Amino acid sequence: KKRPHFGEVFAKGRQGDQDVHEDLIFLSKDTLSPGIVRATALSLLSSYPAKKSFATLETALSDADALVRQTAISTINLLQFDKDATLIFPLLYDPVKAVRIQAALSVAAIKNLKLTHDQKEVLDSGIKEYISTMEYSSDFPSGRYNLALMYHSLGKTDKAIENYEQSIKIDNLFLKAVSLDPGSFDFLFALADHYIKKTGRTMPPWWPIK
């Protein structure tokens, strides 16, 4: 049986069609496909919280393609599995910066980590590298949004809100784009909850659901 074109698979995957779960897994592992195709297939596995998805993502963490590794890290976060820091921590040593900083964001979000002194230094270095990278692109809404994600992970919610608000000031359409991402809801809810408790007001003006 001929497999469908990846475009068809992605279209159905974005709708959460269970019939393409196996096709997405196949595409993510198909080394004959371009890295961007494989990475996109991995990202869509966030809609399929099954053991097969997690096993596929875990394998992808050691893939030869940096984009695939980076996407595997971010997608594992969205799947809400109990994250084992030992799974992602080695990627803080990755030779590719984009992978290292994605790993830093992921590990920073894991609470009650027990790290050795050396491991803490590596994580701190990764966090600094992430923040430095995003500050360099802070003229763009995505840079500010990514800073907000990191500060939220670090428990610095005021700074997270500040950067998120800046992202909207740079481009007010960015709010709509973020609201379309299912993975952003928990993050935005946490910011809104902090905002309400601190100000005593109702939902913040940047809350995407009116």
Side-chain angles (χ1 to χ4, degrees), residues 22-206:
E22 292 294 336
D23 290 317
L24 289 170
I25 290 175
F26 173 82
L27 280 171
S28 72
K29 295 178 178 179
D30 183 15
T31 55
L32 295 179
S33 293
I36 185 64
V37 171
R38 298 178 61 215
T40 302
L42 279 175
S43 70
L44 291 173
L45 288 179
S46 62
S47 298
Y48 303 84
K51 288 183 178 179
K52 278 187 178 180
S53 296
F54 187 75
T56 301
L57 289 160
E58 186 175 358
T59 300
L61 290 172
S62 56
D63 196 88
D65 190 300
L67 181 58
V68 171
R69 297 196 301 276
Q70 180 188 9
T71 305
I73 297 169
S74 59
T75 308
I76 280 177
N77 284 348
L78 293 177
L79 277 177
Q80 304 298 317
F81 281 96
D82 290 334
K83 295 188 291 294
D84 183 350
T86 59
L87 194 64
I88 298 173
F89 201 94
L91 291 159
L92 288 168
Y93 298 90
D94 198 276
V96 178
K97 182 179 182 180
V99 178
R100 289 197 305 273
I101 63 175
Q102 188 66 54
L105 177 63
S106 179
V107 177
I110 302 174
K111 306 304 179 187
N112 303 316
L113 268 182
K114 294 181 179 179
L115 302 176
T116 65
H117 176 74
D118 288 346
Q119 287 175 326
K120 189 175 185 307
E121 283 192 341
V122 171
L123 176 57
D124 287 345
S125 176
I127 290 171
K128 288 177 182 177
E129 186 175 33
Y130 179 101
I131 291 174
S132 173
T133 300
M134 297 310 160
E135 284 179 342
Y136 185 79
S137 59
S138 61
D139 287 345
F140 297 93
S142 57
R144 288 287 185 174
Y145 179 74
N146 288 331
L147 281 169
L149 288 175
M150 176 58 86
Y151 285 125
H152 171 60
S153 293
L154 296 174
K156 299 179 179 180
T157 313
D158 286 334
K159 293 199 75 170
I161 291 174
E162 176 189 339
N163 279 279
Y164 181 63
E165 289 177 340
Q166 285 296 321
S167 73
I168 297 169
K169 285 181 181 178
I170 294 169
D171 183 355
N172 60 10
L173 293 178
F174 191 69
L175 175 62
K176 292 183 179 179
V178 170
S179 67
L180 293 174
D181 176 15
S184 70
F185 183 80
D186 288 345
F187 163 68
L188 293 180
F189 185 84
L191 296 196
D193 183 59
H194 180 83
Y195 177 93
I196 292 167
K197 288 176 180 176
K198 184 175 181 179
T199 64
R201 300 175 186 172
T202 55
M203 295 305 282
W206 38 261

